[in-house]
Amino acid sequence: MTDLAQERRLVTPIPGPKSQELLARKTAAVPSGVGVTLPVFVTRAGGGVLEDVDGNSLIDFGSGIAVTSVGNSAEAVVRRASAQLADFTHTCFMVTPYEGYVEVAEALNELTPGDHEKRTALFNSGAEAVENAVKIARAYTKRQAVVVFDHGYHGRTNLTMALTAKNMPYKHSFGPFAPEVYRMPLAYPYRWLTGPENCAQEAAAQAIDMITKQVGAENVAAIVIEPIQGEGGFIEPAKGFLPKLAEFARENGIVFVADEIQTGFCRTGQWFACEDEGIVPDLITTAKGIAGGLPLAAVTGRAEIMDAAHSGGLGGTYGGNPVACAGALGAIETMKEQDLNAKARRIGEIMLARLRGMQEKFEIIGEVRGRGAMIAIELVEAGSKTPNAAATAAVAKACHAEGLVVLTCGTYGNVLRFLPPLVIGEDLLNEGLDIIEGALARL
Ligand SMILES: Cc1ncc(COP(=O)(O)O)c(C=O)c1O
């Protein structure tokens, strides 16, 4: 919605009475396993705000978990998806194909790092893209093992639960999990025992040593890693760690998969976060920001790897749905025309400067980190690095009550993460930061 007033407006307590009524209906109709962070029921959204059933207007620092980077109902997404809705909604690309799918594949082949020949296959969700990247890597290498990392998150399907590090809430009571998954240490600078300086080198050496000894490099089909970890706590691996792993993969015939589902499509101020260290992944998984809120995901990669799976081996009824493809073309058009990479970098400058100012005032901010519009603060007990999940939950709750949507994350539940739409106005951005500062001050 581009005509929504870009303002925070609270006319009832949060959640308001109509939202509370809907929450009671939700509780009766939807299983409790499907949780809700902030039970305000949305009627309209756009730019940097969400409007709810009670007439409140909230500032959005979540983008539906890094999805609506171009804003909700962005003009080009609505225009293209509406035209597609009127033409046809589904044929199944595997039965009778259509041009939109091919256009999205061509766009991804061009936008992703590396000028080698590429192919792209489309799916519905991030988890499905990761599953397919593993299938493709196994078919290509004729190997089985998959290497992943501490604090990693890759989804909620059976294989991706196995790839995901954190037990609660993602895996607990849902096993058994898929076999041949091996977890290695991640170069987490803030929590590396010998300090951040040696983190990249030591973590890479440990990971490579463990892979070599415990799995055997010749058995590894794929190394799957997020260039900046999302759910794990917006952890930027220490510089040098990713290139070292990519080099190890190259030397040993292992497919290097960058999971850019949360980091991709301008979120970090570049089309893809792995560009920051000049990494050219063999395969790259994308979803979330790809289609302005419509469900779409992709695996893009080297033609010889992508073509290794036999004909009919990849696909799914809805993968690359024509309306979602039209949405993706609208989202990519918006990102290019409005230079959303530059917008993300500007958001990063503003947020990092203000949050670092807060870090000087509030001892519980252990670290401020992130790139572009993917920024977080890690909260600790004052004077230590002990994770402070209670303070994190309290700050999030206080922000919600003031009409600011923020999300938490992190292995220890002690990270507040900020993912505003890239089209948010600077006034709203600063107002949101004022609310965070006020909530920290009142703790
Ligand atoms: C890095 C990463 N991989 C995979 C996924 C799973 O995506 P989806 O929820 O669309 O299945 C997510 C979702 O948060 C993610 O952040």
Side-chain angles (χ1 to χ4, degrees):
M1 286 291 298
T2 43
D3 63 342
L4 263 186
Q6 293 298 300
E7 62 177 15
R8 180 171 66 110
R9 187 180 63 247
L10 297 187
V11 295
T12 70
I14 301 291
K18 289 187 183 154
S19 275
Q20 292 198 26
E21 263 173 49
L22 281 164
L23 182 62
R25 279 173 55 196
K26 181 253 172 201
T27 305
V30 180
S32 48
V34 183
V36 166
T37 303
L38 170 57
V40 297
F41 283 74
V42 174
T43 48
R44 300 194 306 164
V49 297
L50 304 165
E51 212 175 71
D52 76 6
V53 281
D54 291 287
N56 300 297
S57 174
L58 289 82
I59 301 176
D60 183 12
F61 274 14
S63 297
I65 321 187
V67 171
T68 51
S69 300
V70 294
N72 252 293
S73 303
E75 186 279 328
V77 173
V78 174
R79 171 170 37 84
R80 287 184 182 249
S82 307
Q84 181 59 50
L85 269 171
D87 285 345
F88 65 95
T89 47
H90 175 82
T91 62
C92 186
F93 188 77
M94 300 181 306
V95 180
T96 48
Y98 38 87
E99 187 177 353
Y101 187 121
V102 180
E103 266 190 275
V104 172
E106 288 168 347
L108 277 165
N109 294 345
E110 197 200 309
L111 290 170
T112 48
D115 50 16
H116 48 277
E117 194 179 342
K118 293 177 210 152
R119 306 273 188 271
T120 289
L122 300 179
F123 303 97
N124 303 294
S125 68
E128 207 188 336
V130 175
E131 291 245 358
N132 278 279
V134 171
K135 281 165 67 171
I136 293 164
R138 284 177 170 160
Y140 176 71
T141 57
K142 314 254 182 314
R143 305 172 181 178
Q144 294 185 353
V146 182
V147 165
V148 288
F149 293 85
D150 203 3
H151 312 288
Y153 180 86
H154 301 287
R156 294 174 183 266
T157 56
N158 187 266
L159 174 59
T160 57
M161 277 194 292
L163 303 179
T164 290
K166 190 175 174 180
N167 175 50
M168 200 63 176
Y170 308 120
K171 304 165 75 156
H172 187 72
S173 78
F174 298 145
F177 304 111
E180 286 303 314
V181 173
Y182 300 90
R183 190 170 314 286
M184 301 300 150
L186 181 96
Y188 185 171
Y190 181 66
R191 294 198 173 275
W192 196 253
L193 279 180
T194 57
E197 301 76 31
N198 306 320
C199 173
Q201 213 184 340
E202 287 178 10
Q206 275 182 26
I208 289 169
D209 186 56
M210 284 167 71
I211 295 169
T212 310
K213 279 195 206 140
Q214 296 180 17
V215 195
E218 66 279 17
N219 296 317
V220 179
I223 291 177
V224 182
I225 190 161
E226 301 154 83
I228 302 176
Q229 289 186 322
E231 307 301 302
F234 281 25
I235 304 166
E236 291 181 88
K239 288 262 181 293
F241 182 70
L242 292 172
K244 197 89 199 137
L245 290 175
E247 181 191 285
F248 173 75
R250 197 165 46 246
E251 285 169 352
N252 289 281
I254 298 168
V255 176
F256 186 83
V257 183
D259 181 346
E260 293 249 14
I261 285 164
Q262 191 151 163
T263 48
F265 288 101
C266 309
R267 177 52 57 187
T268 66
Q270 288 173 307
W271 281 100
F272 299 97
C274 60
E275 290 169 47
D276 204 50
E277 287 190 272
I279 309 266
V280 178
D282 298 313
L283 301 182
I284 179 163
T285 53
T286 51
K288 290 193 182 277
I290 193 173
L294 294 168
L296 191 72
V299 183
T300 301
R302 293 184 188 281
E304 66 276 17
I305 302 177
M306 292 295 294
D307 281 337
H310 51 275
S311 177
L314 304 177
T317 306
Y318 294 114
N321 168 270
V323 182
C325 285
L329 295 170
I332 293 168
E333 177 187 322
T334 310
M335 288 171 199
K336 287 183 176 167
E337 280 188 357
Q338 299 186 17
D339 194 359
L340 292 190
N341 277 316
K343 291 256 168 62
R345 289 195 292 272
R346 174 78 187 135
I347 290 171
E349 275 169 29
I350 294 173
M351 295 197 98
L352 287 173
R354 290 222 32 204
L355 292 166
R356 285 187 181 133
M358 292 180 213
Q359 189 180 20
E360 282 170 19
K361 286 201 252 174
F362 307 115
E363 255 195 293
I364 63 162
I365 302 184
E367 191 175 50
V368 176
R369 58 178 178 246
R371 295 210 289 271
M374 184 170 183
I375 303 290
I377 53 178
E378 175 156 357
L379 300 189
V380 291
E381 310 271 353
S384 77
K385 286 193 174 181
T386 308
N388 196 338
T392 309
V395 173
K397 196 170 164 208
C399 290
H400 296 164
E402 298 267 320
L404 173 69
V405 180
V406 293
L407 307 172
T408 60
C409 65
T411 299
Y412 314 107
N414 67 325
V415 178
L416 274 167
R417 57 169 156 172
F418 311 119
L419 292 158
L422 307 182
V423 294
I424 194 170
E426 290 189 14
D427 286 358
L428 280 182
L429 190 66
N430 276 303
E431 193 177 340
L433 287 160
D434 293 341
I435 292 171
I436 293 164
E437 184 158 6
L440 284 161
R442 284 196 305 278
L443 257 193

